Amino acid sequence: MRHILLLGGTWFLGRAVAETALLRGWKVTTFNRGRSAPDLAGVEPVHGDRANPDDLRRLAARGPWDVVIDTSASEMAPRQVLAGTTVLSPVADRYVYVSTVNAYTGWPNEPLTEDSPVYPAPPDADRDFGADDGVTVRYGKQKAGAEAAVSSVFGARATILRPGIILGPGEYVGRLPWWLRRAERGGYILAPGRPDQSIQPIDVRDVAQFALNDTISGPYNLAAPRGRDTMSGLLTACVTVTGGHGQLVWADDERLTAHGVREWTELPLWRTTAGTWAIETTRARAAGLVCRPLADTVTDTWTWLRSGDGPVEHPRWNDHGIDPTKEAAILAGLV
């Protein structure tokens, strides 16, 4: 039986990792503050703050583990990640850190492979590192610094996962849930860009499966295969699964830009930069990454939304979605 330490473990990706590991019969210890959501039945929960050195030492005393899987460091400074990996290194064989494609200097403007350059960032950077560079670049630098922290301690025992957009049951950001709720309302639905625009969202459960692969090391991009899915396929699936009452009306990039529609948030997943959906995943697929059909992700997310087990409250949820009045004004010129 394998024994894993999961940093996080109560919502979205962390919960998916815990559920998948338990289904395999593995022993799972979770470490979190116990604030966001209940602990999953079957795990061995340890509550504490990973920014607290005493809590980290108390956690390390519960080891050893075959692997640490870190899904909860999105808001942590690299130096905090460095402190945690230093404490856990003697009691863990491997460390899997979930980063992001934002760590690449070229995202979202250029196609990406694992050989693409990441932001130069020291492993002991604090929360102010990159503060003068704008939100997207600062976030990328913070994640690159955290990657450096993990690699500096675990070396060849480190695995760095760089997913693009993760969707699926439990999503807290609100991208796919917004489209599903909008499709549920029906009527004319403002659809962004080109219907054949290639997109690469990946299901949270597929990321979880890959994170538990004990044969991987080094960096891996995680996204659906390029050219498989389209924006039309995603939105049509949303309309279909919610009852088929809506009609998609497509507006090109120029029209949306002229109306001041904010990319990425007002119409979630719409972005005009060339590299947004140009993530090469050959290395991960060769190592065993399998991506389920996007329609399954849409269907299962809709089932989850209707189950009453709604998303964890998160401020990013409110960032997504266009005001109905603004949507109607744009649609007035199209229908």
Side-chain angles (χ1 to χ4, degrees):
M1 177 189 295
R2 300 189 66 76
H3 188 186
I4 71 170
L5 170 61
L6 179 56
L7 303 183
T10 60
W11 51 313
F12 202 35
L13 178 56
R15 189 177 184 88
V17 172
E19 290 173 339
T20 304
L22 290 171
L23 286 173
R24 294 183 180 184
W26 293 6
K27 185 177 180 181
V28 180
T29 299
T30 58
F31 180 69
N32 54 67
R33 292 177 295 178
R35 298 177 184 174
S36 298
D39 294 302
L40 190 65
V43 306
E44 177 185 325
V46 179
H47 290 160
D49 188 338
R50 57 185 293 182
N52 185 320
D54 292 336
D55 287 350
L56 285 173
R57 286 189 289 268
R58 177 170 53 86
L59 172 65
R62 306 288 287 267
W65 296 280
D66 295 296
V67 61
V68 177
I69 300 180
D70 187 351
T71 67
S72 69
S74 61
E75 303 300 327
M76 300 196 72
R79 67 169 52 185
Q80 292 176 308
V81 176
L82 180 63
T85 53
T86 301
V87 172
L88 294 174
S89 179
V91 292
D93 292 340
R94 299 173 52 244
Y95 198 106
V96 177
Y97 176 68
V98 181
S99 183
T100 170
V101 292
N102 288 65
Y104 290 113
T105 61
W107 193 87
N109 300 307
E110 303 169 3
L112 300 173
T113 72
E114 287 86 357
D115 294 325
S116 299
V118 299
Y119 286 106
D124 60 348
D126 60 23
R127 290 296 299 167
D128 292 332
F129 184 74
D132 297 331
D133 299 308
V135 174
T136 299
V137 174
R138 177 180 179 273
Y139 180 61
K141 287 185 173 182
Q142 289 284 318
K143 297 299 280 188
E147 290 183 9
V150 173
S151 297
S152 69
V153 174
F154 275 82
R157 297 183 293 145
T159 299
I160 306 297
L161 305 183
R162 298 181 183 132
I165 295 301
I166 304 176
L167 303 178
E171 184 196 337
Y172 64 90
V173 176
R175 296 181 176 110
L176 180 52
W178 186 85
W179 278 117
L180 285 163
R181 292 301 188 192
R182 176 62 192 89
E184 181 186 27
R185 295 204 314 268
Y188 291 120
I189 300 170
L190 182 62
R194 303 190 325 272
D196 63 349
Q197 171 64 57
S198 176
I199 61 174
Q200 294 180 273
I202 186 170
D203 192 288
V204 63
R205 295 161 294 183
D206 298 332
V207 177
Q209 290 276 5
F210 192 77
L212 291 168
N213 185 334
D214 59 6
T215 67
I216 56 177
S217 64
Y220 293 87
N221 294 336
L222 301 184
R226 292 182 66 179
R228 189 191 73 170
D229 300 312
T230 63
M231 184 65 80
S232 176
L234 171 69
L235 300 189
T236 299
C238 289
V239 171
T240 299
V241 77
T242 57
H245 304 300
Q247 180 177 337
L248 299 174
V249 179
W250 293 90
D252 60 31
D253 296 341
E254 291 75 14
R255 182 180 294 269
L256 296 175
T257 300
H259 281 272
V261 178
R262 294 192 307 276
E263 296 186 26
W264 212 232
T265 54
E266 279 194 285
L267 293 174
L269 304 177
W270 168 64
R271 200 163 196 158
T272 60
T273 46
T276 303
W277 305 114
I279 304 167
E280 183 54 60
T281 60
T282 301
R283 186 167 191 262
R285 284 185 283 118
L289 175 66
V290 177
C291 296
R292 71 194 66 204
L294 182 56
D296 290 356
T297 302
V298 172
T299 298
D300 294 345
T301 302
W302 180 236
T303 299
W304 163 71
L305 279 175
R306 299 177 70 195
S307 69
D309 183 22
V312 173
E313 290 188 9
H314 194 280
R316 292 183 69 182
W317 188 276
N318 296 323
D319 292 339
H320 293 88
I322 190 169
D323 181 88
T325 302
K326 185 173 182 178
E327 180 185 21
I330 300 172
L331 285 168
L334 297 168
V335 296

